[in-house]
């Protein structure tokens, strides 16, 4: 017997058309209701996970695509090894440094210039701390099926650690974690964490519990909890420990840790927590008893600092941090590599990575929240009038200075090498200012920009000018200047412009200053690129117009050609057909010579054979 479908049975039943329409209407209306009231039924019927760990990680990658395309970020993922760059997830502000790694976090103290102590021929610049302040969110089930990725945002000095792990249920639901970590740039003793937890939008009915794993770093160190403080808005614990920074030097370290709950409930499918930590230390001293005497003073400073930041909204603290980094980056470099360009010039991402990691080891004194007005004016003066910096060959081709680092040891060594190089080249005043001065010195050194008593000179190697390079916001006294090398269709020129209005007029002229002096404005002025014999700077900028006019008669130039002619003459040589002809003649000459030698050798052999023949005949006849 042929079976009938449910639809046929319904059609053949005695129900009227009106009743049938009512039944169908009820079914259609009830389906969405059942879906939202009993979603687990549909999850079971679908037989697959409602989320994908991989899709969440990749979605965060796509959100940061613009940063990556602009070379302002690095990406690390457990899913896609190919997109990883050399480097490591690191945040720092010149006082504190943190490697944001759940498996192997590293915490360091960076010492200021006035705190450095010369010990046994070494300068102590940083000290590793035996503590772990990094909070790690985990599901209470301890499900290990998870993936992670990290973004290092160079522009804002932020590491974002994205995690996604499956919950312990039959539906395979996921919890998303966005863990943001900063070493606060304008409050250099503050380590700030923000953790956002969420599930899929359609899973808000779930009530999940997250465990915040906090390492007990007091168990295996000499750090001890002093007491617990209750602030009107936050509770925190205070820890004290003594750190040995060398064979004979000690210092006390005080850490204030906000009290966060160990279990977090996601009743609405979304929540966030903030973790504030203050780390302060004394100066290194040789006598351990003196360290103990300094403890109370450091404790009082830590309590005052914690009391201050506890009154500030966390979003405000994050915005302060971003604003400080934005201001530091007002001076910078951008480079566009041309086809067939010099392979020794570092790629743009390597330049940005090097600058970020170096700046993360330096205190931004100018942006410190507690700086006095007189100190701020003194620092600004150092930036505006650095006397002499940079002298010597440009650092653009210095491979040791432009390299990726993968741990704190390599980072410290790279920072030391940069500091030594810049100091030897006359940039000590800029470096003493802090992060902003250091960045200014690096940018100047990249292209060979030099301050002198009367002007700012662009004393670069003409052979690198076939790339497009821009020096942003070079500080020259009270003005900031953009200098761009333009390389279009084989022609090279320089564009110079002011970024702000200037009180005193500012002038510029090209190599040799043979053309009329140009007054600079916000509108870019284009100057030709000339190469002189003997070599001189390709650009001069000064407030003294007469000084630039006098350069024409004081540079004593024997020859002046434009950059294109210089490159053509450098690359020119005898035509290929000449070398082919020379090679052919050499080959023919050797072939002719070989022929003569073989002919001579052959005739000599025949002559000897003839003599032997006649000689033998005589003896036989006899």
């Amino acid at each position: 017997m042929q079976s009938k479908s449910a639809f046929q049975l319904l059609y053949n039943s005695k129900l009227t058309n009106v009743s049938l329409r009512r039944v169908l209407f009820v079914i259609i209306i009830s389906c969405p209701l059942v879906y939202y009231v009993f979603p687990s039924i549909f999850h079971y019927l679908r037989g697959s996970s409602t989320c994908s760990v991989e899709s969440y990680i990749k979605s965060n990658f796509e959100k940061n695509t613009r940063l990556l395309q602009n070379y302002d970020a690095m990406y690390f993922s457990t899913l896609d090894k190919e997109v990883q760059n050399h480097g490591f997830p690191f945040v720092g502000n010149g006082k504190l440094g943190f490697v944001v790694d759940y498996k192997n976090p590293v915490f360091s103290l960076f010492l200021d210039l006035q705190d450095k102590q010369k010990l046994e021929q070494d300068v102590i610049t940083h000290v590793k701390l035996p503590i772990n302040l990094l909070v790690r969110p985990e599901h209470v089930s301890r499900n290990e099926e998870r993936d992670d990725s990290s973004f290092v945002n160079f522009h804002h000095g932020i590491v974002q650690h994205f995690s996604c792990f499956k919950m312990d249920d039959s539906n395979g639901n996921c919890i998303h974690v966005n863990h943001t970590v900063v070493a606060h740039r304008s409050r250099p003793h503050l380590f700030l964490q923000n953790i956002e937890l969420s599930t899929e939008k359609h899973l808000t009915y779930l009530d999940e519990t997250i465990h915040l794993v906090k390492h007990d770093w007091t168990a295996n160190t000499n750090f001890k909890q002093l007491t617990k403080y209750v602030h009107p808005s936050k509770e925190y614990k205070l820890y004290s420990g003594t750190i040995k920074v060398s064979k004979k030097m000690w210092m006390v370290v005080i850490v204030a840790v906000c009290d966060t709950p160990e279990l977090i409930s996601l009743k609405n499918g979304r929540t966030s927590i903030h973790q504030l930590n203050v780390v302060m230390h004394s100066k290194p001293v040789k006598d351990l008893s003196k360290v103990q005497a300094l403890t109370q003073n450091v404790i009082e400073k830590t309590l005052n600092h914690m009391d201050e930041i506890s009154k500030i909204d966390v979003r405000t603290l994050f915005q302060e941090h971003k604003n400080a980094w934005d201001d530091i980056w007002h001076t910078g470099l951008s480079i566009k590599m041309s086809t067939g360009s010099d392979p020794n010039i570092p790629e743009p991402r390597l330049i940005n990575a090097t600058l970020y990691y170096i700046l993360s080891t330096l205190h931004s004194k100018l942006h410190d929240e507690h700086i006095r007005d007189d100190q701020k004016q003194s620092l600004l003066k150092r930036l505006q009038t650095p006397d002499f910096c940079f002298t010597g060959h440009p650092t653009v081709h210095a491979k040791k200075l432009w390299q990726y680092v993968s741990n704190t040891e390599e980072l410290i060594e790279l920072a030391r090498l940069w500091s030594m190089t810049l100091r030897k080249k006359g940039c000590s005043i800029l470096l003493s200012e802090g992060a902003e001065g250091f960045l200014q010195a690096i940018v100047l050194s990249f292209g060979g920009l030099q301050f002198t008593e009367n002007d700012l000179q662009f004393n670069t190697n003409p052979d690198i000018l076939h790339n497009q390079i821009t020096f942003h916001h070079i500080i020259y006294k009270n003005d900031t200047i953009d200098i761009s090398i333009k390389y279009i269709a084989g022609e090279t020129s320089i564009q110079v412009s002011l970024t702000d209005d200037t009180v005193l007029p500012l002038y510029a002229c090209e190599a040799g200053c043979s053309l009329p002096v140009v007054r600079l404005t916000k509108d870019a002025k284009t100057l030709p690129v000339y190469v002189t014999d003997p070599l001189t700077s390709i650009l001069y900028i000064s407030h003294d117009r007469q000084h630039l006019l006098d350069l024409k008669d004081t540079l004593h130039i024997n020859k002046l050609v434009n950059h294109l002619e210089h490159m053509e003459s450098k690359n020119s040589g005898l035509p290929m057909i000449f070398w082919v002809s020379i090679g052919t003649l050499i080959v023919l000459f050797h072939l002719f010579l070989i022929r003569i030698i073989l002919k001579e050798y052959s005739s000599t052999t025949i002559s000897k054979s003839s003599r032997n023949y006649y000689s033998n005949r005589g003896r036989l006849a006899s």
Side-chain angles (χ1 to χ4, degrees):
M1 182 178 177
Q2 188 177 3
S3 61
K4 296 182 179 181
S5 65
F7 180 79
Q8 289 174 327
L9 291 173
L10 182 62
Y11 181 80
N12 295 329
S13 67
K14 297 181 179 180
L15 292 174
T16 64
N17 291 336
V18 175
S19 299
L20 178 61
R21 287 196 297 268
R22 288 178 178 175
V23 171
L24 292 174
F25 178 78
V26 170
I27 293 175
I28 293 170
I29 294 299
S30 62
C31 282
L33 183 62
V34 172
Y35 180 82
Y36 286 105
V37 175
F38 305 104
S40 59
I41 298 176
F42 285 86
H43 295 162
Y44 176 79
L45 294 175
R46 285 158 63 179
S48 60
S49 173
T50 60
C51 77
S52 168
V53 174
E54 182 175 353
S55 64
Y56 174 70
I57 299 299
K58 289 189 175 181
S59 68
N60 286 292
F61 174 81
E62 293 171 356
K63 291 177 183 177
N64 291 276
T65 299
R66 186 174 180 181
L67 282 172
L68 294 167
Q69 290 176 343
N70 293 334
Y71 311 109
D72 286 332
M74 274 189 176
Y75 172 54
F76 308 89
S77 174
T78 58
L79 288 171
D80 193 351
K81 300 294 184 181
E82 293 182 0
V83 300
Q84 291 191 25
N85 297 280
H86 300 290
F88 65 118
F90 179 83
V91 292
N93 58 19
K95 289 281 190 179
L96 306 176
F98 301 91
V99 180
V100 185
D101 185 346
Y102 285 167
K103 295 181 179 179
N104 185 32
V106 180
F107 297 79
S108 302
L109 288 176
F110 295 98
L111 307 185
D112 283 339
L113 293 173
Q114 62 267 25
D115 293 330
K116 291 180 182 178
Q117 303 289 330
K118 192 169 185 180
L119 311 171
E120 301 171 359
Q121 306 303 319
D122 293 326
V123 176
I124 304 300
T125 57
H126 92 294
V127 179
K128 285 189 177 180
L129 294 180
I131 63 176
N132 183 358
L133 301 175
L134 202 63
V135 177
R136 189 178 77 250
E138 294 285 359
H139 193 259
V140 288
S141 66
R142 296 294 195 276
N143 194 325
E144 295 299 327
E145 188 175 354
R146 60 179 294 165
D147 282 295
D148 299 85
S149 67
S150 296
F151 275 90
V152 184
N153 186 327
F154 298 152
H155 193 70
H156 286 144
I158 289 174
V159 167
Q160 282 184 287
H161 188 99
F162 299 102
S163 301
C164 182
F165 48 90
K166 291 185 178 180
M167 295 182 287
D168 190 23
D169 62 6
S170 59
N171 303 318
N173 296 316
C174 292
I175 294 179
H176 301 161
V177 182
N178 182 354
H179 190 175
T180 304
V181 181
V182 303
H184 203 280
R185 179 45 95 175
S186 57
R187 301 177 185 272
H189 300 285
L190 174 60
F191 176 53
L192 182 60
Q193 302 178 72
N194 182 57
I195 301 175
E196 297 179 359
L197 305 166
S198 63
T199 61
E200 279 74 22
K201 294 181 180 179
H202 58 278
L203 298 179
T204 55
Y205 65 91
L206 293 176
D207 184 4
E208 290 295 326
T209 302
I210 299 299
H211 179 231
L212 298 181
V213 180
K214 292 175 284 186
H215 296 272
D216 183 16
W217 40 272
T218 61
N220 300 317
T221 66
N222 60 355
F223 275 84
K224 304 297 179 184
Q225 181 177 341
L226 298 179
T227 185
K228 183 174 181 178
Y229 291 84
V230 180
H231 191 268
S233 59
K234 293 180 178 64
E235 293 184 0
Y236 58 92
K237 298 176 182 177
L238 206 65
Y239 298 88
S240 174
T242 304
I243 302 296
K244 190 173 185 179
V245 297
S246 72
K247 293 182 179 179
K248 300 179 181 179
M249 302 292 284
W250 305 78
M251 68 180 181
V252 63
V253 178
I254 306 296
V255 183
V257 181
C258 269
D259 225 6
T260 54
E262 292 187 359
L263 297 177
I264 303 294
S265 178
L266 276 75
K267 291 183 178 180
N268 297 319
R270 181 178 296 273
T271 190
S272 62
I273 60 169
H274 314 293
Q275 178 80 10
L276 304 179
N277 305 104
V278 172
V279 182
M280 287 194 168
H281 63 87
S282 66
K283 291 183 178 181
V285 294
K286 292 184 178 181
D287 193 342
L288 185 58
S289 61
K290 292 183 179 180
V291 172
Q292 301 301 327
L294 296 173
T295 301
Q296 189 58 39
N297 183 37
V298 182
I299 290 176
E300 291 178 2
K301 289 182 179 180
T302 306
L303 292 176
N304 292 336
H305 200 69
M306 196 66 180
D307 183 65
E308 178 184 345
I309 64 173
S310 297
K311 300 174 183 177
I312 304 173
D313 183 71
V314 173
R315 288 172 295 184
T316 302
L317 291 173
F318 270 101
Q319 194 59 48
E320 286 179 354
H321 171 79
K322 291 179 180 179
N323 292 342
W325 268 105
D326 283 341
D327 197 43
I328 290 173
W329 284 118
H330 79 276
T331 294
L333 277 169
S334 62
I335 181 170
K336 181 179 180 181
M337 308 294 282
S338 62
T339 304
S341 59
D342 188 345
N344 294 319
I345 293 180
E347 61 172 338
R349 194 185 309 280
L350 174 56
I351 294 174
N352 287 349
T354 301
L355 295 178
Y356 168 75
Y357 284 119
I358 296 298
L359 293 178
S360 297
T361 68
L362 300 167
H363 182 202
S364 178
K365 300 179 182 179
L366 196 61
H367 295 93
D368 197 314
E369 288 290 329
H370 303 97
I371 188 174
R372 301 195 310 268
D373 288 340
D374 59 330
Q375 292 176 324
K376 190 171 185 177
Q377 293 302 318
S378 176
L379 293 174
L380 287 173
K381 187 176 180 181
R382 296 182 201 177
L383 281 175
Q384 295 166 354
T385 55
D387 292 336
F388 299 99
C389 179
F390 172 83
T391 61
H393 299 294
T395 58
V396 60
H397 287 147
K399 292 183 178 180
K400 289 184 178 180
L401 297 177
W402 304 101
Q403 54 181 304
Y404 290 108
V405 291
S406 57
N407 53 58
T408 52
E409 287 74 16
E410 292 177 1
L411 172 56
I412 295 301
E413 175 58 24
L414 183 62
R416 184 196 68 82
L417 189 59
W418 264 110
S419 178
M420 183 171 62
T421 300
L422 295 174
R423 291 182 189 280
K424 297 291 185 181
K425 303 301 182 181
C427 300
S428 297
I429 293 179
L430 278 179
L431 268 56
S432 66
E433 187 278 335
E436 295 85 353
F438 210 106
L439 177 60
Q440 176 90 348
I442 292 178
V443 172
L444 292 172
S445 75
F446 185 87
L449 286 159
Q450 299 181 358
F451 285 97
T452 68
E453 183 179 357
N454 298 308
D455 54 34
L456 172 63
Q457 301 181 12
F458 193 1
N459 188 17
T460 192
N461 182 353
D463 296 340
I464 73 168
L465 300 182
H466 51 273
N467 300 282
Q468 298 198 55
I469 305 173
T470 300
F471 302 84
H472 300 283
H473 287 74
I474 299 297
I475 301 174
Y476 180 56
K477 297 187 178 179
N478 292 321
D479 303 311
T480 52
I481 308 166
D482 281 356
I483 302 175
S484 297
I485 300 170
K486 299 296 182 180
Y487 182 77
I488 302 174
E491 294 286 344
T492 305
S493 62
I494 297 179
Q495 291 185 354
V496 188
S497 62
L498 297 173
T499 56
D500 297 301
D501 293 324
T502 179
V503 177
L504 296 175
L506 198 61
Y507 304 94
C509 67
E510 77 295 340
C513 290
S514 58
L515 299 177
V517 173
V518 176
R519 180 171 178 175
L520 299 179
T521 63
K522 288 185 177 180
D523 297 327
K525 304 295 182 181
T526 302
L527 290 86
V529 175
Y530 289 142
V531 181
T532 63
D533 179 23
L535 282 175
T536 61
S537 299
I538 63 172
L539 177 70
Y540 298 86
I541 298 174
S542 177
H543 285 291
D544 189 348
R545 184 173 181 272
Q546 187 59 46
H547 166 71
L548 298 182
L549 293 174
D550 293 340
L551 285 177
K552 181 179 180 181
D553 298 322
T554 58
L555 292 175
H556 306 294
I557 293 171
N558 298 322
K559 184 180 179 181
L560 184 146
V561 298
N562 64 44
H563 183 257
L564 181 59
E565 292 177 356
H566 166 75
M567 296 302 293
E568 288 177 347
S569 63
K570 181 176 180 179
N571 296 327
S572 65
L574 294 172
M576 182 62 67
I577 191 172
F578 172 82
W579 295 111
V580 172
S581 301
I582 292 296
T584 303
L585 289 174
I586 293 174
V587 172
L588 291 174
F589 172 77
H590 282 83
L591 290 175
F592 178 74
L593 185 61
I594 292 171
R595 182 174 178 274
I596 294 175
I597 293 174
L598 291 176
K599 186 176 181 181
E600 184 67 22
Y601 175 80
S602 177
S603 62
T604 304
T605 304
I606 293 172
S607 176
K608 287 183 177 180
S609 299
S610 299
R611 287 197 299 270
N612 291 335
Y613 173 74
Y614 287 111
S615 175
N616 290 336
R617 283 185 62 191
R619 285 196 293 270
L620 288 173
S622 63

